[in-house]
Amino acid sequence: MRVLNLKLANSKLMMTHLPPFSSDPVKHDHGGDYQITIPISGIPCIEIEKQTRSMNKALRVITSPGEAHFHYTGESESKLLLINLQKEFVDQVASARLHVCHFDTAFRTYGENSSEKLVKIANDIIQTNLLNEVASGKFEELEWALADTLLSIQEGSHSEKWRKEITLNDHPLIKTVLSFIHEHYASELSLEELAKASRLSKYHFIRTFKEAAGCTPGQYVTKVRLERAIDLLRTTALDITTIGFAVGFGSLTTFERSFKKRYGCSVSHYRKSL
């Protein structure tokens, strides 16, 4: 029995109560959505493509778009939180975080770490809906948080790049220089300036930075400039030349060449795709 069915722009939340010896009405899939199954009570079972697994509160199950499945119970009743997220939306969130034009997500079916953060965000969405708090893009922020959290806790095609992105910002030896780069990316930044900001010798700084970031300091500066350019392309009507100079590139040619090398498409093509 469905006790909650809340549909948003990019997601859907459902709470299902299954009495003893009951199941979903039919075997089904969810089109272009991922569905996250989180047991709230009881020990339900799920069958995915003829494979069955019982679930408890420590197990989270992800069914992929088009993957046929159904839930059922045995002797005890169960309550399930079901969160649907459009794959296209999850791909968009992953692309933004990993700074690529398009990232094709694919998740492992089972997750055995805590789903507490997903449940909390779902509760926030439900509460917001009950209070009719729809101003200031509240639902959009919460949907983004759902997708971002799923990408953070569920292993998949994104995981290696995702972990590197998070680890870099916590590295104790280069945290200061990262802040310096993000503050001064639009200016000319010499290697000497960056090494000075890190309080390391130039040689030690280059070696430490590359070990942590997987790229040279100069490559990271370019990455930050391109990320800011992406923001301006998405949120302003500024022309491409103005954006290139605004984020610190010395010429339009350098900007366009760097953009295409990182994102695999031209600046103009990217803007037209928005």
Side-chain angles (χ1 to χ4, degrees), residues 15 22 55 61 81 111 123 129-131 156 179 216-217 246 274:
M15 187 72 76
S22 64
M55 296 180 285
V61 180
L81 172 63
N123 285 335
N129 182 64
L130 290 173
L131 297 176
S179 297
T216 67
L274 297 175

Side-chain angles (χ1 to χ4, degrees), residues 166-183 194 197-200 205 208-209 212-213 220:
I166 294 171
T167 302
L168 175 60
N169 288 292
D170 291 333
H171 196 289
L173 292 177
I174 60 171
K175 195 169 184 178
T176 300
V177 77
L178 291 178
S179 297
F180 184 83
I181 291 172
H182 282 273
E183 184 176 351
L194 297 178
S198 72
R199 299 181 181 179
L200 297 170
F205 167 65
T208 303
F209 193 99
Y220 187 83

Side-chain angles (χ1 to χ4, degrees), residues 154-169:
Q154 188 76 12
E155 291 290 315
S157 58
H158 63 290
S159 296
E160 183 177 351
K161 291 183 178 180
W162 192 272
R163 279 192 289 269
K164 181 179 290 187
E165 195 72 21
I166 294 171
T167 302
L168 175 60
N169 288 292

Side-chain angles (χ1 to χ4, degrees), residues 18-236:
L18 291 175
F21 301 108
S22 64
S23 68
D24 293 333
V26 293
K27 197 169 189 177
H28 60 285
D29 64 65
H30 294 281
D33 292 0
Y34 289 113
Q35 183 173 83
I36 311 162
T37 299
I38 302 173
I40 303 300
S41 65
I43 305 178
C45 294
I46 185 169
E47 182 180 304
I48 306 173
E49 303 293 351
K50 297 184 179 180
Q51 294 188 350
T52 300
R53 185 157 178 180
S54 62
M55 296 180 285
N56 55 35
K57 289 185 179 180
L59 183 68
R60 175 179 59 254
V61 180
I62 312 294
T63 51
S64 298
E67 197 167 42
H69 63 281
F70 72 97
H71 307 93
Y72 64 95
T73 57
E75 295 180 353
S76 62
E77 65 179 5
S78 295
K79 186 179 290 184
L80 302 173
L81 172 63
L82 306 172
I83 303 172
N84 282 24
L85 282 165
Q86 294 174 9
K87 183 182 186 302
E88 183 179 355
F89 176 64
V90 177
D91 289 350
Q92 178 187 345
V93 175
S95 299
R97 180 70 172 267
L98 299 175
H99 314 297
V100 296
C101 281
H102 177 73
F103 192 90
D104 185 15
T105 57
F107 293 103
R108 289 185 182 176
T109 303
Y110 303 107
E112 297 182 353
N113 51 357
S114 174
S115 299
E116 183 179 346
K117 289 183 179 179
L118 287 171
V119 174
K120 184 181 183 304
I121 297 167
N123 285 335
D124 288 345
I125 291 174
I126 294 166
Q127 187 69 18
T128 299
N129 182 64
L130 290 173
L131 297 176
N132 198 28
E133 295 178 356
V134 295
S136 305
K138 180 72 172 178
F139 281 137
E140 184 178 354
E141 292 175 11
L142 290 168
E143 285 189 300
W144 191 275
L146 270 179
D148 188 81
T149 299
L150 179 64
L151 287 158
S152 296
I153 67 175
Q154 188 76 12
E155 291 290 315
S157 58
H158 63 290
S159 296
E160 183 177 351
K161 291 183 178 180
W162 192 272
R163 279 192 289 269
K164 181 179 290 187
E165 195 72 21
I166 294 171
T167 302
L168 175 60
N169 288 292
D170 291 333
H171 196 289
L173 292 177
I174 60 171
K175 195 169 184 178
T176 300
V177 77
L178 291 178
S179 297
F180 184 83
I181 291 172
H182 282 273
E183 184 176 351
H184 300 286
Y185 64 86
S187 307
E188 283 191 36
L189 291 175
S190 68
L191 189 57
E192 287 73 16
E193 282 181 291
L194 297 178
K196 185 178 179 180
S198 72
R199 299 181 181 179
L200 297 170
S201 69
K202 186 163 68 172
Y203 171 76
H204 190 193
F205 167 65
I206 294 171
R207 186 181 63 181
T208 303
F209 193 99
K210 192 168 184 180
E211 286 176 355
C215 64
T216 67
Q219 289 169 336
Y220 187 83
V221 171
T222 298
K223 171 178 173 288
V224 172
R225 287 172 174 165
L226 290 172
E227 290 169 9
R228 180 55 182 151
I230 288 284
D231 289 339
L232 293 174
L233 288 165
R234 287 174 172 168
T235 61
T236 75

